[in-house]
Amino acid sequence: MNGRLIGLLTVLVLVNFVVDSAITAPLVVLPEMLDHFGTDQAAWLNATAMLAGVMWAPLLGKSADLHGRRKVLVLTLLLSCAGALLCAVAPGLWLFVPGRMLQGASLAAIFLSVAIVRGAFPSRTAMIAVGVVTSGSAVLNIASRFLIEDLASKYGFQVLFLVSASVAVVMAGCVHRFVPESPARTPGRIDFGGALLLGAGLGGVLGYISLGSDFGWLAVGPLALLAVGVTASARWFLVSSRKPDPLIDIRDLRGPLALLLLVVFLASGSYQSMLQLIPLIGDVSADQRLGYGLADQGSVALLLAAPGLGVTLGGPTAGWLAGRVGPARTLAAAVVLGTAVTLGMFLGVSRLPAALCCAFLLGATVGALGTSGFNMAGSLAPPERQGIVSSLVMVMVSIGSVALNFVGAAVLASTSVAVDGETVNSATGVLAYIGIASGTFALAAVLAVLLARDTKVRN
């Protein structure tokens, strides 16, 4: 591998660091944001970017196939920069929420980076490079948490968004300067009407899932979002099935690709829900006699850092394996590992060594699953359609994450107990939470094995 390709990988790893600064890093300062805006609606501040990212992904993926991946990646980073600046200066939610929606465009940087790598590297090397690009920023993400927490305590939460905007605009310049433009092009045009319908459909349904737990599942606002989402999705399906050049051709969503997307949806939702559970059990002491808890057994900071280290190892390892046994088999192995690790958390909820092991392996699963999913999608798509097909993987990751996170939260809320006047999660709720994640992972494992067999037969 020559210096130019190493430089390309470095730039794309840093590009994916922008995604973390825009999507997940604001969780570090979530309490400060809630106090500043005088609200208890965390979903508006946190989930908006992820939901908007689901809407941005197909549009930017299709645009990349039509107009060039580098050009659209630069646009994506500039949109994220503009959103971060709006969030930094927003006097109220009326400007902060649109800012978060613009930041959501940064999700497209992940699959655009993957598409650029697959076009720049030979096939076997590209599989390893995908793992490096999708997982290499994990260590930077861990270190940045401590820095952002310190800066926010001194200068306010707005500093996070100023840092995010600065990193995004610098990386936009680096991408324009150092990343070659892809020669592959897909003839056609962008179906903006279909993009609006698809965005409204996904946003409405996911918005209902995200906000229903805060406002009430039968409240007028969430139900209106659900109605808009279902109506728009149905309309998009009917219209797209008739157009000659739709945003997403649903006629292609069959066979191995459809099975891959279902596996990604189930597995991503499962591991994200488990990552959400880890800090909850790490904040409870066994002395409270709730039947779980790790807070008094050692350094819980290691428990929170372990997944990041696992991601860094899991991504490149999965890329290396994919080059030897194929992405389908590697994907199946990653999902089977995730199933075993999730089952291990039945023991890990009360024993720190087991929890540390499971947290690390869960991170490895995250890295391996993301790398294998993108590699598998890339192997199923021609060069001129890498952008849109990779965007579908990102959409499934996002939808699965939102859906299973809120399912898990609803289970915990419905089984909570009162101890000394304080509402806490019960052992029943925690174990049921793990059971749902394990069952979903097991279903994904069965489908992943079927996908691997189907791919072997086709080859």
Side-chain angles (χ1 to χ4, degrees):
M1 187 182 299
N2 59 39
R4 183 183 65 83
L5 293 180
I6 292 176
L8 174 62
L9 280 182
T10 302
V11 169
L12 295 178
V13 166
L14 293 174
V15 163
N16 282 291
F17 176 66
V18 175
V19 181
D20 177 77
S21 73
I23 303 298
T24 58
L27 287 173
V28 176
V29 294
L30 184 58
E32 290 85 348
M33 291 192 294
L34 292 172
D35 290 340
H36 177 80
F37 292 113
T39 181
D40 60 354
Q41 303 301 330
W44 282 109
L45 305 182
N46 176 41
T48 306
M50 178 68 79
L51 297 178
V54 173
M55 295 184 282
W56 280 109
L59 180 61
L60 293 173
K62 181 71 171 182
S63 298
D65 288 338
L66 291 175
H67 304 295
R69 296 160 196 164
R70 182 187 67 178
K71 185 183 299 183
V72 176
L73 180 55
V74 170
L75 173 63
T76 296
L77 293 169
L78 293 179
L79 286 171
S80 179
C81 174
L85 290 175
L86 285 181
C87 292
V89 302
L93 290 178
W94 62 272
L95 187 59
F96 186 86
V97 170
R100 292 294 284 153
M101 293 181 70
L102 280 176
Q103 274 196 296
S106 64
L107 271 182
I110 298 175
F111 64 80
L112 290 175
S113 298
V114 169
I116 288 171
V117 163
R118 292 191 63 87
F121 289 81
S123 178
R124 178 171 291 189
T125 306
M127 292 185 182
I128 301 175
V130 167
V132 173
V133 166
T134 57
S135 309
S137 63
V139 173
L140 292 175
N141 297 340
I142 297 172
S144 69
R145 296 292 191 273
F146 298 99
L147 176 62
I148 291 299
E149 188 175 22
D150 181 61
L151 290 175
S153 66
K154 295 178 180 177
Y155 305 109
F157 74 87
Q158 291 87 350
V159 72
L160 166 62
F161 296 99
L162 292 175
V163 170
S164 180
S166 301
V167 175
V169 74
V170 168
M171 293 318 302
C174 289
V175 169
H176 180 74
R177 174 67 179 82
F178 298 109
V179 175
E181 184 57 278
S182 56
R185 293 288 189 278
T186 300
R189 61 183 183 83
I190 298 175
D191 178 16
F192 286 103
L196 289 175
L197 285 174
L198 180 61
L202 292 173
V205 174
L206 293 179
Y208 172 76
I209 295 173
S210 301
L211 303 179
S213 59
D214 289 329
F215 291 97
W217 298 108
L218 298 179
V220 174
L223 283 177
L225 281 175
L226 179 62
V228 169
V230 171
T231 302
S233 296
R235 179 63 180 169
W236 170 79
F237 182 86
L238 291 174
V239 172
S240 296
S241 61
R242 299 170 185 156
K243 286 186 176 181
D245 188 24
L247 182 67
I248 297 174
D249 194 341
I250 58 177
R251 291 160 291 194
D252 289 341
L253 300 182
R254 61 182 185 273
L257 179 59
L259 196 53
L260 168 65
L261 295 178
L262 184 55
V263 169
V264 170
F265 167 78
L266 294 170
S268 298
S270 299
Y271 74 63
Q272 285 292 349
S273 68
M274 290 307 301
L275 291 176
Q276 178 177 258
L277 182 66
I278 286 175
L280 298 180
I281 63 176
D283 195 43
V284 172
S285 170
D287 293 338
Q288 295 177 255
R289 300 185 182 281
L290 293 172
Y292 69 95
L294 303 170
D296 57 346
Q297 297 186 34
S299 175
V300 179
L302 289 175
L303 182 64
L304 301 178
L309 298 176
V311 169
T312 305
L313 177 64
T317 301
W320 178 81
L321 285 174
R324 283 151 179 79
V325 302
R329 290 184 178 181
T330 307
L331 175 66
V335 180
V336 170
L337 174 62
T339 305
V341 171
T342 308
L343 289 170
M345 281 301 295
F346 280 112
L347 181 62
V349 295
S350 57
R351 299 185 183 181
L352 185 60
L356 284 171
C357 180
C358 289
F360 173 78
L361 292 175
L362 185 63
T365 300
V366 172
L369 184 62
T371 299
S372 302
F374 282 118
N375 277 331
M376 185 67 195
S379 69
L380 295 174
E384 67 275 9
R385 297 189 67 246
Q386 291 286 321
I388 187 62
V389 173
S390 295
S391 75
L392 296 179
V393 175
M394 197 68 247
V395 168
M396 289 297 104
V397 169
S398 301
I399 294 176
S401 300
V402 172
L404 268 293
N405 272 351
F406 281 93
V407 167
V411 169
L412 293 179
S414 64
T415 55
S416 61
V417 295
V419 178
D420 297 328
E422 181 181 0
T423 301
V424 296
N425 297 320
S426 66
T428 300
V430 169
L431 296 178
Y433 188 114
I434 297 173
I436 291 173
S438 299
T440 306
F441 242 133
L443 177 57
V446 172
L447 296 177
V449 171
L450 292 176
L451 176 62
R453 290 181 177 177
D454 181 63
T455 305
K456 182 179 179 180
V457 170
R458 289 171 181 265
N459 291 338

